[in-house]
Amino acid sequence: MTTDPRPTEGVHPDHPDLDRLGALALVQALADDQRRAVEAVRAATPALAGVVEAALPRLERGGRLVYVGAGTSGRLGVLDATELTPTFSWPPERAVPLIAGGERAIRQAVEGAEDDAGAGEQDVRGAGVGPDDFLIAVAASGTTPYVLGAVAAARELGALTVGVANNPGTPLLAAAEYPVLLDTGPEAISGSTRLKAGTAQKIALNTLSSALMVRLGKVYGNLMVDVRASNTKLEARALRLTRHATGAGEAEARLALAEAGGRVKTAIVMLRLGVDAGEAEARLAAAHGHARAALGEG
């Protein structure tokens, strides 16, 4: 029998009788194995920090985040890209998820799509990827042809490329300018990388995109101030954030938010500096969207 050298494809030595466990022991075993995901991301923090520093200037110039993956990895990319708009008011056209098999693959498996390197290249070119863009390629195996084709095309087009894989020494880590290894090892259910390999990917993507949004001025202190109040839940959240940042009463905060068109960051500047919405927007624009700088806090 040929042994697959990729750790994610190995058989976990601690769970040979997983199918014999009772419900409690089974759930505990699966939950405990997820701890390795957090450990893997913590080990990768220097690499992730390097990615933030490299990607930031491109995004400041108007570049896009482009996510590429297949299967679980592709769906996690779609999720991260989608959540940037409601969380940080990031323009949806600047978060581009590419998944092997297209949109249909978000809900169902598209057999063979991940094996098509040419499709990965074609999707990147079709998305108009260019020098200011930042491509995040994710593959647990580190060997997925679709993802490798996408990275090759992105590099040719001048985009910054990041490769996220759960196996060391794999082609994806070699192909990308910025390799990020999430070494999660064998899964409790052998080969099911939707488990801790996928969890580590989710944490890494969430950490990376959130760090970028903080550095781009989408956060003041630790407050999500670029959220826009577009429904009842977000209106209540916007009110809480505005009051917390300014110490304003409910009525005053509501009025400022109304005048600011629901923009929390604008309302905060208005209330803290005693200016109208137009002046607050002008100060934020001059500070490139950073509330702390607009408030003169450095």
Side-chain angles (χ1 to χ4, degrees):
M1 182 178 68
T2 302
T3 301
D4 193 312
R6 295 171 295 182
T8 58
E9 299 302 315
V11 177
H12 202 303
D14 295 343
H15 303 292
D17 297 313
L18 195 71
D19 60 338
R20 294 183 176 182
L21 299 179
L24 178 58
L26 176 60
V27 170
Q28 286 177 335
L30 292 171
D32 286 348
D33 199 51
Q34 293 279 356
R35 294 176 182 173
R36 180 81 178 264
V38 177
E39 294 169 1
V41 177
R42 287 182 63 86
T45 52
L48 290 167
V51 172
V52 171
E53 296 294 349
L56 190 63
R58 297 183 184 234
L59 297 180
E60 288 176 332
R61 292 196 298 266
R64 301 174 298 167
L65 291 120
V66 181
Y67 299 77
V68 175
T72 297
S73 301
R75 294 181 192 103
L76 289 170
V78 171
L79 177 62
D80 203 68
T82 303
E83 290 183 339
L84 291 179
T85 298
T87 307
F88 299 110
S89 295
W90 186 252
E93 65 274 12
R94 293 182 66 193
V96 182
L98 303 176
I99 181 170
E103 288 194 11
R104 184 163 65 95
I106 296 172
R107 294 295 303 274
Q108 65 185 82
V110 179
E111 300 298 337
E114 68 178 59
D115 298 326
D116 191 343
E121 178 180 351
Q122 184 177 12
D123 284 354
V124 164
R125 294 186 185 280
V129 170
D132 283 340
D133 292 331
F134 161 44
L135 183 134
I136 312 168
V138 189
S141 67
T143 60
T144 306
Y146 174 85
V147 175
L148 293 173
V151 171
R155 292 200 68 168
E156 183 181 331
L157 294 165
L160 179 74
T161 58
V162 176
V164 180
N166 296 84
N167 289 312
T170 45
L172 177 57
L173 297 178
E177 295 164 90
Y178 287 82
V180 177
L181 170 63
L182 304 175
D183 192 1
T184 47
E187 297 285 359
I189 298 175
S190 178
S192 180
T193 51
R194 64 180 289 271
L195 297 175
K196 67 174 176 285
T199 300
Q201 292 173 4
K202 173 67 167 70
I203 297 171
L205 290 175
N206 195 281
T207 298
L208 180 56
S209 61
S210 295
L212 284 166
M213 293 300 117
V214 172
R215 295 293 298 274
L216 287 166
K218 302 289 186 179
V219 174
Y220 173 54
N222 66 342
L223 305 180
M224 194 175 74
V225 294
D226 246 354
V227 64
R228 289 198 62 172
S230 57
N231 59 35
T232 301
K233 178 188 74 175
L234 292 179
E235 286 175 358
R237 181 178 296 165
L239 183 62
R240 287 194 301 272
L241 291 170
T242 302
R243 294 188 65 188
H244 182 88
T246 64
E250 181 175 342
E252 187 181 15
R254 284 188 185 278
L255 180 60
L257 280 167
E259 293 177 359
R263 292 183 290 275
V264 173
K265 192 158 52 176
T266 303
I268 290 172
V269 174
M270 290 170 61
L271 291 167
R272 289 282 296 275
L273 298 182
V275 298
D276 62 20
E279 177 64 17
E281 290 284 359
R283 290 182 183 238
L284 283 165
H288 304 289
H290 291 260
R292 194 173 294 279
L295 292 167
E297 297 176 354

